[in-house]
């Protein structure tokens, strides 16, 4: 039986004014060498204004590293502005990022509109899914990063940029550069410091600490006493390939907390695909062409 020592950490909590507090680097859980090193790099880089590229599979924690860097940085008094480059239609992305002046195009708002760069002035602009940014926009972004100024769409006034850029992707940007889908010069400009977060199957020492923390916060949320895992169940957690990474682990624990009545979680309580690890691993490796 494995009992957990926990240090209380809840992610994305709210302060007294109801404003969402951003996750700090202290709330990133993990004891593996790679996590310790990445947190150290993130702390160092946070104090500067350099552009950071965060890469990693889905659910590895790219967003919490980004908000953690913002919170520790000289830009923390400004806003942390999130832009999902994959969710904005190609014809709107320029006006979303740079804003527009009144009359810039049919349907433009009276008085114009601030873009994300203006909103992130003295703060951090978090460019999520940068790999989805259309090539024409990549050119404009590069020019802005080099000139440190921009104009709203339809305008001539120059706006100075004092913003830390954090770009994030779960795609292999270098491969996209080789395929001509991502500008090489922009890649180097963004990749001044690279935080490449490994999937949790490659940093298994993080798994027990993640489980204990997530277990505690989830049990608190559902107002049940904290559950323990048998060593067989723990072993299944450690060997499961977690292609959804921490997000998947959080969801599995929440399901167990809600469905299991007893205070001990055994192998039998786990979903079948986790118990049948040979199959899970085989399917996973086949799916990703790794065998
Ligand atoms: N090391 C960690 N410690 C604690 N919580 C973590 C850790 N890594 C990830 N999480 C949690 O896992 C979830 C997914 O993390 P996050 O949203 O940062 O992933 P992501 O890499 O941005 O994923 P996606 O590519 O799908 O956008 C969040 O609830 C986050 O708080
Ligand atoms: Mg994300």
């Amino acid at each position: 039986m494995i009992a957990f020592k926990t240090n209380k950490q809840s992610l994305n909590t709210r302060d007294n004014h109801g404003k969402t507090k951003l996750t700090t680097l202290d709330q990133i859980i993990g004891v593996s060498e790679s996590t310790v090193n990445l947190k150290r790099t993130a702390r160092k880089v946070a104090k500067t204004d350099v552009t950071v590229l965060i890469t990693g599979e889905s659910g590895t924690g790219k967003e919490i590293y980004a908000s953690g860097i913002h919170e520790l940085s000289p830009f923390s008094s400004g806003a942390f502005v999130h832009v999902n480059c994959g969710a904005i239609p190609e014809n709107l992305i320029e006006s979303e990022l740079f804003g527009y002046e009144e009359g810039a195009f049919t349907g433009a708002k009276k008085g114009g509109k601030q873009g994300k760069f203006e909103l992130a002035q003295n703060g951090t602009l978090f460019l999520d899914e940068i790999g989805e940014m259309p090539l024409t926009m990549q050119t404009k972004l590069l020019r802005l990063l080099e000139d440190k100024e921009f104009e709203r769409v339809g305008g001539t006034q120059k706006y100075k940029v004092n913003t830390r850029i954090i770009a994030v992707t779960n795609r292999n940007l270098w491969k996209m550069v080789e395929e001509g889908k991502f500008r090489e010069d922009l890649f180097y400009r963004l990749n001044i410091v690279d935080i490449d977060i490994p999937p949790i199957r490659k940093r298994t020492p993080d798994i027990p600490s993640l489980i204990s923390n997530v277990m505690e916060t989830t049990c608190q949320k559902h107002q049940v006493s904290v559950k323990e895992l048998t060593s067989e169940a723990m072993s299944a957690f450690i060997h499961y390939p977690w292609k959804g990474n921490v997000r998947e682990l959080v969801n599995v624990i929440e399901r167990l907390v809600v469905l299991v009545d007893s205070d001990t979680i055994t192998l039998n309580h786990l979903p079948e695909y986790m118990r049948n690890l040979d199959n899970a691993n085989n399917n996973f490796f086949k799916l990703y062409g790794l065998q």
Side-chain angles (χ1 to χ4, degrees), residues 207-219:
I207 293 177
S209 53
L210 279 166
I211 295 172
S212 68
N213 248 277
V214 174
M215 183 67 85
E216 178 164 322
T217 46
T218 313
C219 289

Side-chain angles (χ1 to χ4, degrees), residues 11-12 23 27-30 35 56-65 126 128-129 168-170 197 203 206 210 214 244-248 250:
L11 300 171
N12 293 325
T23 318
Q27 288 167 282
I28 295 176
I29 297 151
T35 299
E57 287 181 9
S58 182
T60 45
K62 297 183 292 299
E63 183 153 355
I64 59 173
Y65 274 90
F126 172 53
D128 209 351
E129 298 191 31
V168 170
T169 183
N170 55 18
I197 311 172
R203 48 182 167 103
D206 286 351
L210 279 166
V214 174
N245 290 289
V246 187
R247 184 177 294 111
E248 185 183 5
V250 168

Side-chain angles (χ1 to χ4, degrees), residues 1-66:
M1 190 81 68
I2 296 166
F4 299 117
K5 268 208 217 137
T6 56
N7 48 342
K8 265 198 199 150
Q9 293 171 326
S10 69
L11 300 171
N12 293 325
T13 48
R14 290 182 173 267
D15 67 17
N16 295 336
H17 310 289
K19 191 177 147 205
T20 303
K21 278 203 273 178
L22 293 171
T23 318
T24 66
L25 292 172
D26 289 336
Q27 288 167 282
I28 295 176
I29 297 151
V31 295
S32 66
E33 206 185 325
S34 60
T35 299
V36 171
N37 286 338
L38 283 183
K39 284 172 76 171
R40 189 181 303 128
T41 306
R43 283 205 168 82
K44 260 196 204 163
V45 80
K47 301 199 181 89
T48 71
D49 63 356
V50 301
T51 303
V52 183
L53 179 67
I54 305 181
T55 49
E57 287 181 9
S58 182
T60 45
K62 297 183 292 299
E63 183 153 355
I64 59 173
Y65 274 90

Side-chain angles (χ1 to χ4, degrees), residues 273-286:
Y273 59 83
M274 281 186 71
R275 278 181 270 148
N276 204 346
L277 282 181
D278 283 346
N279 281 348
N281 283 322
N282 282 340
N283 290 340
F284 175 80
F285 289 119
K286 266 187 208 138

Side-chain angles (χ1 to χ4, degrees), residues 215-254:
M215 183 67 85
E216 178 164 322
T217 46
T218 313
C219 289
Q220 254 170 21
K221 175 178 151 197
H222 291 282
Q223 301 189 327
V224 297
S225 56
V226 174
K227 297 180 191 301
E228 292 170 355
L229 264 70
T230 61
S231 45
E232 291 82 13
M234 176 61 88
S235 171
F237 266 78
I238 288 172
H239 293 103
Y240 180 67
W242 298 113
K243 61 180 160 57
N245 290 289
V246 187
R247 184 177 294 111
E248 185 183 5
L249 182 139
V250 168
N251 292 340
V252 167
I253 292 181
E254 180 150 35

